[in-house]
Amino acid sequence: MKNSNYNLKKILPILFGFFIVGFVDLVGTATNNIKHDFNLSDSMASTLPMVVFLWFLIFSIPVGLLMNRIGRKKTVLLSMIVHLTAFLLPLFAYNFTIILITFALLGIGNTIIQVSLNPLLSNVVQNNKLTASLSAGQFVKAISSFLGPIIAAYAAKEFGDWTLIFPVYLIATLASSFWLLVTPITENQTIHSSSFKSSLSLLKNPTVLKLFIGIFTVVGIDVGINTIAPKLMEERIFGMTSLDSVYAISVYFIFRTIGSFLGSIMLSYVSVRKFYITSTFIAISSLLALIFADNLNILYLFIALVGLSVSNIFSIVFSYALQYLPDKSNDISALLIMGISGGALFPWLMGLASDSLDLQAGALIVLILCCVYHIYLSFFVKKVEIETVDK
């Protein structure tokens, strides 16, 4: 019992770090607000998600290389410094240039923390609890993602300034930084030197490549629903305003939060692969239903089901990858986090698909194709389990 409490003291500050990870999802709400504040076109407003998620493509592997040299905890603390800088800037000025810099720094800081936080968690939990622990982290992240639009909406309604969310994020980041700083963690990683080329070469491994595409597409689904949900409401429900439509994002995040919480419990007791298969089938069925839904409650229902079903897929895929090549977990983590750059690509693809059909159904088809890939991957991971056991 004493050992359990000791581990909990190490696990909790790491799990709270996932609350900071969730700040990146502010980009969905921020895009809508910034579009109205600066009277931007759709194409111009869409540069904001790209400014955030492009850094996952550029910086993930360099961060992994840095983490090999300085360790995981120090890398997480470095990310906190970048986050703090990002949240300080809007306190001094609010213009489009400052906002672009703020969200670029948010993307960089989030890249660093996501590359390092997942492997750091593996230092304080057993392998058979890793998937459930990662889901617990995603649960904390989901709470943060869910609260973001609510805080921003409250600040806009009560004080006429949605950017007051940044001081809140600043305080939370300071608290997380201090908690982790004073927590002693022994890292059971082998510090080794690797190169950009050697890290990237891991994608030549067919299993790693499939898992990388899994992360790429599940982030596409997540960011995609985050951006399309309000548009879907405005398209299907007569008289729906942009202010009211953003509640669809909160519905998505509420059920993603619930799903992460349930997953953190269930994945300790049920087959991970069967859980994955069931989740993917629910997700694709819900997205198909959204193509035809034109009732407010029905739209909310299937948006909720998408949130519930995809909430643990990221954790499942990430866990398979970390356990598949544990001696290269830093490099694997960097590669997978590079897949978060899908958040920059998929809104653009969805926009093209919607424009071609002149309906949001086009965007939903893009997300359905992502889910089809996960149906394939959910059956493929049985092979990964066998290969991992053999090692």
Side-chain angles (χ1 to χ4, degrees), residues 19 144 146-156 161-162 164-165 168-169:
F19 193 83
S144 174
F146 161 65
L147 289 175
I150 294 176
I151 296 171
Y154 179 81
D161 186 2
W162 72 272
L164 290 176
I165 192 172
V168 177
Y169 280 3

Side-chain angles (χ1 to χ4, degrees), residues 137-375:
Q138 291 301 306
F139 167 61
V140 176
K141 176 183 181 289
I143 293 174
S144 174
S145 302
F146 161 65
L147 289 175
I150 294 176
I151 296 171
Y154 179 81
K157 184 177 180 181
E158 296 297 323
F159 304 103
D161 186 2
W162 72 272
T163 65
L164 290 176
I165 192 172
F166 291 117
V168 177
Y169 280 3
L170 184 70
I171 293 169
T173 305
L174 281 170
S176 179
S177 304
F178 179 75
W179 195 1
L180 183 62
L181 182 65
V182 299
T183 303
I185 296 174
T186 302
E187 300 182 28
N188 57 357
Q189 70 172 106
T190 301
I191 302 296
H192 65 280
S193 61
S194 55
S195 65
F196 187 94
K197 184 178 179 181
S198 64
S199 296
L200 201 59
S201 68
L202 288 170
L203 289 176
K204 293 179 181 178
N205 182 313
T207 298
V208 174
L209 178 60
K210 287 181 173 70
L211 294 170
F212 169 81
I213 296 172
I215 294 294
F216 191 78
T217 49
V218 74
V219 171
I221 296 168
D222 194 37
V223 176
I225 287 291
N226 195 358
T227 55
I228 194 180
K231 298 176 184 177
L232 204 58
M233 289 291 180
E234 292 176 40
E235 178 186 83
R236 305 286 176 82
I237 307 300
F238 179 76
M240 176 69 73
T241 66
S242 58
L243 286 175
D244 292 331
S245 65
V246 295
Y247 288 109
I249 300 176
S250 293
V251 169
Y252 172 73
F253 282 128
I254 283 175
F255 281 87
R256 199 181 75 170
T257 304
I258 293 170
S260 299
F261 174 71
L262 294 175
S264 67
I265 298 171
M266 294 176 64
L267 285 166
S268 294
Y269 302 99
V270 303
S271 163
V272 175
R273 190 171 70 91
K274 289 179 180 177
F275 189 95
Y276 187 14
I277 292 170
T278 303
S279 297
T280 53
F281 274 105
I282 294 173
I284 197 169
S285 300
S286 302
L287 287 168
L288 282 167
L290 282 172
I291 291 180
F292 306 102
D294 59 2
N295 174 276
L296 181 63
N297 291 330
I298 296 298
L299 284 166
Y300 278 140
L301 171 64
F302 287 111
I303 288 171
L305 284 175
V306 173
L308 194 69
S309 57
V310 304
S311 56
N312 296 286
I313 292 178
F314 183 96
S315 303
I316 290 170
V317 176
F318 214 102
S319 175
Y320 272 118
L322 289 181
Q323 294 179 71
Y324 177 63
L325 292 174
D327 58 322
K328 295 184 179 295
S329 58
N330 284 357
D331 299 320
I332 290 289
S333 177
L335 275 177
L336 295 191
I337 295 303
M338 190 169 72
I340 294 179
S341 60
L345 177 64
F346 280 99
W348 178 71
L349 291 176
M350 290 164 62
L352 290 179
S354 294
D355 288 344
S356 65
L357 295 180
D358 199 27
L359 291 169
Q360 294 303 323
L364 288 169
I365 290 171
V366 174
L367 299 183
I368 288 168
L369 291 175
C370 292
C371 281
V372 169
Y373 178 78
H374 279 277
I375 289 175

Side-chain angles (χ1 to χ4, degrees), residues 21-38:
V21 174
F23 293 169
V24 75
D25 289 320
L26 178 68
V27 68
T29 299
T31 299
N32 290 327
N33 285 306
I34 291 165
K35 178 184 174 182
H36 289 101
D37 289 349
F38 299 106

